[in-house]
Amino acid sequence: MEERIQDGGPLELGGFYASSELLERFSNQVQSLIGAADRAAANGNPEGQFAALLALESVLLSDLLNEQEASDFVSRPEMQSAIKTSQRIFAAFESRLEDAFVADIARVKVPQRYLSDCDSVTRNYLARYRGLAAAEVALARVGPADRVAFVGAGALPITALEYIRTTGCHVDGIEILGERAAAAEAVIERLGFADRLTMINADGSTIDFSTYSVILVGVLAEPKAAIFARLAATAAPEARVICRTTEGLRQLIYRPTAAAALLPYQAQAINRANGFQTLSTLRLVQIALKPGAAA
């Protein structure tokens, strides 16, 4: 559900504060699972890594800690190295999972099954992004007349496909890595969306955004500060800008988008991840910076 962000400040937090012993045990469990996943990857054991990552994700998405506890946990100095390791292995795993789905779409006789229910692993993966896409369509009020830029679309632009399937809009997927942009083009063609979804192999900080009515910046899109500076310089004033981020324990899955990287934009509202969702989405508004402030 969308939440308004008042004066750019944090929402009121509630709940009890966990004992240091509980946080210590939680920290040990999380670090143990991160270590297991990292060792499995280093030893060429994909099954072991998959099992460790699933166990780690279930802990991170369990809401065992309230917002204040989670904030304190991710701020712990002793957790910083483990958090970076966790983000790295989750990002690498996500890329491999995307590659596997792309290869499967190229191979199967009826690739359109990826737009409907299929096997359990695929269904769970798609359901997460379908839910995210539905929330973002509502947050940015995406309609059939919109032209959407998706910065950081990746090799499997599921949310772009969902935007199109549910609203009839046109999407340009912007991907900095040539091989992933090419893979996405093949997926789009195979699924029959080439008339509505176009891939652009480019750095998001070089795009002219003036023709887009909606701009989505993905959680892994970089360099964020340069992308938002380019947005501010070229996007139409009425364009609706949204950006993905993470909060709380979900920061161990994807690196959050820092408020400083958004300038000259700031968060106006948020669709907050809960349950099995990992990504939150911010609706942004451009602000006037004070003289001397960093852009």
Side-chain angles (χ1 to χ4, degrees), residues 34-48:
I34 292 170
D38 202 27
R39 287 191 299 274
N43 294 332
N45 179 8
E47 292 83 6

Side-chain angles (χ1 to χ4, degrees), residues 24-293:
E24 192 64 35
R25 290 186 177 186
F26 188 84
S27 174
N28 290 340
Q29 181 186 20
V30 167
Q31 291 190 74
S32 175
L33 289 170
I34 292 170
D38 202 27
R39 287 191 299 274
N43 294 332
N45 179 8
E47 292 83 6
Q49 185 190 28
F50 183 61
L53 284 177
L54 283 181
L56 176 59
E57 185 180 75
S58 69
V59 171
L60 299 177
L61 304 184
S62 64
D63 296 323
L64 289 172
L65 306 184
N66 65 31
E67 290 182 64
Q68 184 61 61
E69 294 159 359
S71 177
D72 291 346
F73 177 79
V74 298
S75 298
R76 285 181 148 204
E78 65 270 25
M79 282 302 302
Q80 299 315 298
S81 177
I83 288 172
K84 289 180 181 178
T85 299
S86 181
Q87 291 167 348
R88 172 176 55 78
I89 57 180
F90 268 114
F93 180 74
E94 175 90 1
S95 292
R96 289 198 299 274
L97 196 58
E98 273 195 352
D99 290 342
F101 285 145
V102 167
D104 200 27
I105 289 171
R107 181 174 58 248
V108 297
K109 290 184 178 179
V110 187
Q112 285 72 20
R113 75 188 183 91
Y114 280 87
L115 304 179
S116 60
D117 287 341
C118 38
D119 64 84
S120 60
V121 174
T122 307
R123 184 185 302 119
N124 292 339
Y125 184 82
L126 293 180
R128 174 173 291 175
Y129 282 95
R130 283 177 178 155
L132 178 64
E136 291 174 347
V137 162
L139 188 66
R141 306 184 305 279
V142 181
D146 282 313
R147 189 176 185 88
V148 181
F150 180 4
V151 184
L156 188 65
I158 295 173
T159 43
L161 294 171
E162 282 297 298
Y163 278 25
I164 296 165
R165 193 176 68 85
T166 58
T167 73
C169 68
H170 185 101
V171 181
D172 284 352
I174 299 160
E175 173 56 47
I176 193 171
L177 298 176
E179 67 274 15
R180 304 197 77 72
E185 285 182 341
V187 166
I188 293 161
E189 183 69 33
R190 189 91 165 91
L191 294 176
F193 279 78
D195 61 331
R196 286 282 181 172
L197 177 50
T198 303
M199 289 302 299
I200 300 172
N201 177 206
D203 184 331
S205 65
T206 68
I207 296 295
D208 180 352
F209 291 100
S210 61
T211 62
Y212 298 105
S213 53
V214 177
I215 298 117
L216 163 64
V217 180
V219 71
L220 296 178
E222 294 291 347
K224 285 267 188 343
I227 290 169
F228 283 104
R230 183 67 174 171
L231 268 169
T234 65
E238 65 274 14
R240 286 149 278 156
V241 181
I242 57 177
C243 177
R244 291 174 179 171
T245 190
T246 52
E247 298 183 301
L249 298 178
R250 289 166 173 83
Q251 294 175 68
L252 276 77
I253 300 175
Y254 296 108
R255 187 170 64 179
T257 300
L262 297 173
L263 294 174
Y265 293 87
Q266 71 176 15
Q268 181 184 46
I270 183 170
N271 181 78
R272 180 160 280 126
N274 57 64
F276 77 114
Q277 294 288 343
T278 57
L279 296 172
S280 298
T281 308
L282 302 168
R283 186 173 71 223
L284 306 177
V285 61
Q286 191 169 350
I287 58 174
L289 294 177
K290 296 178 181 179

